[in-house]
Amino acid sequence: MATPTNIIEELVNREYRYGFVTPVEEELLPPGLNEEIIRMISAKKNEPEWLLEWRLRAYRYWAKLVEEGAEPRWANVTYPPIDYQAIRYYAAPKRRPKSLDEIDPEIRRTYERLGIPLEEQERLAGVAVDAVFDSISVATTFRQKLAELGIIFCSFSEAVQEHPELVRKWLGSVVPYTDNFFAALNSAVFSDGSFVYVPPGVRCPMELSTYFRINASQTGQFERTLIIADEGAYVSYLEGCTAPMRDENQLHAAVVELIALDNATIKYSTVQNWYPGDREGRGGIYNFVTKRGKCLGRNSKISWTQVEVGSAITWKYPSCILIGDNSVGEFYSVAVTNHYQQADTGTKMIHIGKNTRSTIISKGISAGHGQNTYRGMVKIMKGAIGARNYSQCDSLLLGDKCGAHTFPYIEVHEPTAQLEHEATTSKISEEQLFYCRQRGLSAEDAVSMIVNGFCKEVLRELPMEFAVEAQKLLGISLEGSVG
Amino acid sequence: MNGAALLEIRNLRVRIEGQEILKGITLTVRAGEVHSIMGPNGSGKSTLAQVLAGREVYEIVEGEVLYEGEDLLRMSPEERARRGIFLAFQYPVEIPGVSNLYFLKAAMNAVRKYRGLPELDAMEFLALARERAKLVELDESLLQRAVNDGFSGGEKKRNEIFQMALLEPRLAILDETDSGLDIDALRVVAQGINALRHPDRAIVLITHYQRLLNYVTPDVVHVLYDGRIVKSGGKELALELEEKGYGWIAEEAIGSART
Ligand SMILES: Nc1ncnc2c1ncn2[C@@H]1O[C@H](COP(=O)(O)OP(=O)(O)OP(=O)(O)O)[C@@H](O)[C@H]1O
Ligand SMILES: [Mg+2]
């Protein structure tokens, strides 16, 4: 009988499409973490002394947390203890390209199979791509064109070499290494990531995009992204992620920092499709990520949009600190958990400036044995006169073995603040499916249509090319992807 | 008007949750005909409609159903729809977040694809949808709204007729589409039904009221009582039922069962 549950099961049982391994020779550091490893990472990247010192301070802070047993346990997820000494903290393809033409053909093929063209001429219209393969960035397209406008878009390592003053000024200014356990770990061992700087008054003419790929086994990925939009600047940035299928769990602990100055806007979109593990919950990526933006300037705006369909466990809260008067924070999220996936995700909106506004739209979809938790905080500080927040958290259940949970925390220290919160939980019913099928739609298309309808408010926030991609992905992750 | 048999139901017995609801239905509907099925609440009218459309919660105990000469009961609900069976639901289902227009375009193209016709693009579909919306006097703003979401009872019914007018089914089964409609809406629904009438098509009207039959003249009226068709007749039967209720038929039925 075609109940929603078994349709979802069928859909969900399709294979993960990005689970292949690329046969390239990689340079690997031995597993384990100590000061020596950190010095080696730093030396490989020819980093300045101040950065090495910063990494070491972060490492010592993290080591203290480990000693105190202070790894966070408050999220609504369960997993066996992680052995941090068994993880490899650096893996990089041996052949380092000097230009796009020199990219290892195997890696080029990998990105082609993932649908990410590295060739500028066969680009997605108007999207510049930075591709990060395991620990290092392998290609950044469209550099030249962007440079003419004064926009810096390069790998983090290059930024350290070529724009050390910018990196030094802003690194850790939004997410200090003391912020949390995984941020400390990332600060100690981060290997690469993307760096963006948009100068005053410049509107970045194309989507900037980073594609993260984990390839090597037993390896963690710890990238670091830093985006600065100077006064009156605008930038839209998108990240995508995939990884091979493996029985082991791999750790991904990234840090993303965004800074928006006066009248600047940053739009940050994520389509996260790390390997989610198999049907029985074996393997998959642990996605423990710290993402935060600071609206430093007046009238600045930071908008997070995320479509989270992959990973065995997702633990992330892209947040906004609204310091500048009239600044705006937004969080639009779709999180899908299927099989034995677990997600604990949401946002923090901290209102400090006057007339600051924030919007939170969260859509959680659970299928199989998936557990989906929304956890969000809205904090209105004293003096944030006229602050406003609107939060909406909707959950959709497909089947009866999955779960949806909502934990909204609200803290208000300013009497003029206005907050609104709405929450709903619904199920795809047998009646809905039958109605769609009676009109000629297949069960898969019906589920996909209902799920996409449920997520519409979030999907329309994505840049167009990626909205289509994300819709497919939703279909795929439930039927394989939402087609 | 006696065309080829489009639908042949033979001794159909259906159960739900252990209880037999349809207790041996036999009925033939030919192309070009309009049949009306009447009967008291709970007699099994919707059950019959839903079983014909392929609802899987019902258990078929016995019997067979042929549609265009083929075994209907083996087809999935979507295959039946694509082959031209349309059910206007007694209780149309709400699908929040999915626009009516988008939903119907997907449905229409699924049907067209099955029949080997080229899919309609957004513009072509919109033009057709507007034309059909006009036919059933459906407010255009309802096209953009989510499927049945927050529609009034009458709007839902009208939307069902609109969908029927778009999809142009071969066999339309209307389950109490006339209930809860004001006079104008009733006229419009009747108009929609009459526009669909065609020598190749057939319509089954499930209704409690004779008033729809003033606008749409049925070829045959059946009375469904406790899971059985206990009487069939011409359009006068509907008038008689309206006048006398179902009691006399029940007695007749029991009487004939005794003999
Ligand atoms: N899912 C179900 N579980 C249990 N009983 C059911 C179910 N669906 C239908 N029935 C029963 O089957 C019988 C026939 O119902 P059906 O909806 O077919 O009647 P109907 O003739 O359409 O009535 P109405 O005129 O009120 O619409 C009723 O007694 C009803 O309670
Ligand atoms: Mg009924």
Side-chain angles (χ1 to χ4, degrees), chain B:
Chain B
M1 306 238 284
N2 284 0
L6 194 55
L7 180 73
E8 295 173 80
I9 307 172
R10 294 189 195 132
N11 190 30
L12 181 65
R13 290 174 52 209
V14 170
R15 207 154 46 189
I16 188 159
E17 291 180 5
Q19 204 193 335
E20 193 157 316
I21 307 292
L22 299 183
K23 302 176 178 172
I25 303 265
T26 297
L27 174 66
T28 299
V29 178
R30 295 176 185 283
E33 292 179 341
V34 175
H35 287 233
S36 171
I37 298 179
M38 306 181 83
N41 295 135
S43 55
K45 302 182 296 296
S46 295
T47 303
L48 177 61
Q50 302 254 333
V51 166
L52 293 176
R55 185 80 176 262
E56 283 150 328
V57 296
Y58 297 99
E59 184 197 341
I60 311 289
V61 185
E62 201 189 321
E64 67 175 342
V65 181
L66 300 182
Y67 173 68
E68 296 176 329
E70 286 181 57
D71 185 354
L72 181 74
L73 300 177
R74 288 175 60 171
M75 298 176 201
S76 68
E78 55 269 37
E79 187 179 351
R80 299 178 199 203
R82 291 168 190 174
R83 287 179 159 224
I85 293 182
F86 179 91
L87 171 61
F89 284 62
Q90 183 175 5
Y91 305 107
V93 181
E94 303 191 354
I95 310 177
V98 178
S99 91
N100 220 358
L101 215 49
Y102 183 79
F103 172 73
L104 283 172
K105 178 167 162 264
M108 179 113 191
N109 281 334
V111 171
R112 288 180 68 93
K113 202 167 153 192
Y114 181 86
R115 297 186 189 160
L117 297 168
E119 295 187 20
L120 297 182
D121 66 26
M123 293 315 292
E124 291 168 325
F125 179 74
L126 186 63
L128 185 65
R130 288 214 167 113
E131 180 205 311
R132 296 298 148 90
K134 202 169 272 169
L135 180 75
V136 300
E137 297 174 29
L138 183 88
D139 189 339
E140 266 199 36
S141 69
L142 295 183
L143 297 179
Q144 310 292 343
R145 295 223 334 239
V147 181
N148 295 322
D149 192 12
F151 285 23
S152 76
E155 286 170 342
K156 282 181 182 170
K157 297 290 171 88
R158 216 181 266 230
N159 195 33
E160 294 291 285
I161 292 299
F162 165 63
Q163 298 190 25
M164 181 183 81
L166 258 178
L167 296 171
E168 300 181 325
R170 189 132 199 248
L171 173 65
I173 304 165
L174 280 63
D175 191 356
E176 292 198 32
T177 305
D178 56 333
S179 294
L181 293 184
D182 62 37
I183 296 293
D184 287 342
L186 185 71
R187 179 184 44 77
V188 160
V189 164
Q191 225 164 273
I193 296 168
N194 284 326
L196 193 74
R197 287 187 86 156
H198 186 280
D200 286 341
R201 298 185 181 139
I203 299 165
V204 175
L205 296 173
I206 295 172
T207 179
H208 283 296
Y209 307 105
Q210 127 77 19
R211 59 175 197 167
L212 176 66
L213 308 181
N214 286 335
Y215 297 96
V216 184
T217 315
D219 298 292
V220 200
V221 175
H222 307 278
V223 180
L224 187 62
Y225 190 90
D226 191 23
R228 293 186 181 92
I229 290 179
V230 293
K231 198 171 181 67
S232 301
K235 60 178 191 291
E236 335 69 58
L237 181 55
L239 283 167
E240 205 176 347
L241 288 169
E242 188 132 292
E243 211 174 291
K244 302 204 265 180
Y246 293 106
W248 63 280
I249 291 196
E251 275 157 32
E252 257 187 40
I254 293 164
S256 70
R258 283 212 189 103
T259 54

Side-chain angles (χ1 to χ4, degrees), chain A residues 27-44:
Chain A
E27 182 179 0
L28 304 166
L29 285 185
L33 187 53
N34 50 52
E35 293 203 5
E36 201 42 48
I37 292 279
I38 288 167
R39 284 176 201 282
M40 279 158 75
I41 293 172
S42 189
K44 279 193 181 302

Side-chain angles (χ1 to χ4, degrees), chain A residues 365-387:
Chain A
I365 299 160
S366 318
H369 292 82
Q371 293 296 326
N372 211 321
T373 300
Y374 168 80
R375 186 186 305 277
M377 168 175 266
V378 178
K379 193 169 181 173
I380 316 276
M381 308 293 273
K382 193 147 189 57
I385 293 163

Side-chain angles (χ1 to χ4, degrees), chain A residues 1-3 7 426 429-446 448-457 471 483, chain B residues 50 53-57 76-78 81-82 85-89 92-99 102-103 106-107 110-111 147-148 160 163 167:
Chain A
M1 195 164 76
T3 61
I7 286 160
S426 50
S429 65
E430 186 265 339
E431 281 99 335
Q432 283 177 323
L433 276 184
F434 178 63
Y435 189 75
C436 294
R437 296 176 76 188
Q438 208 306 299
R439 297 300 184 250
L441 298 167
S442 68
E444 286 83 353
D445 288 348
S448 162
M449 182 178 275
I450 294 169
V451 166
N452 273 295
F454 175 74
C455 301
K456 195 156 63 180
E457 290 149 287
Q471 282 189 16
Chain B
Q50 302 254 333
R55 185 80 176 262
E56 283 150 328
V57 296
S76 68
E78 55 269 37
R82 291 168 190 174
I85 293 182
F86 179 91
L87 171 61
F89 284 62
V93 181
E94 303 191 354
I95 310 177
V98 178
S99 91
Y102 183 79
F103 172 73
V111 171
V147 181
N148 295 322
E160 294 291 285
Q163 298 190 25
L167 296 171

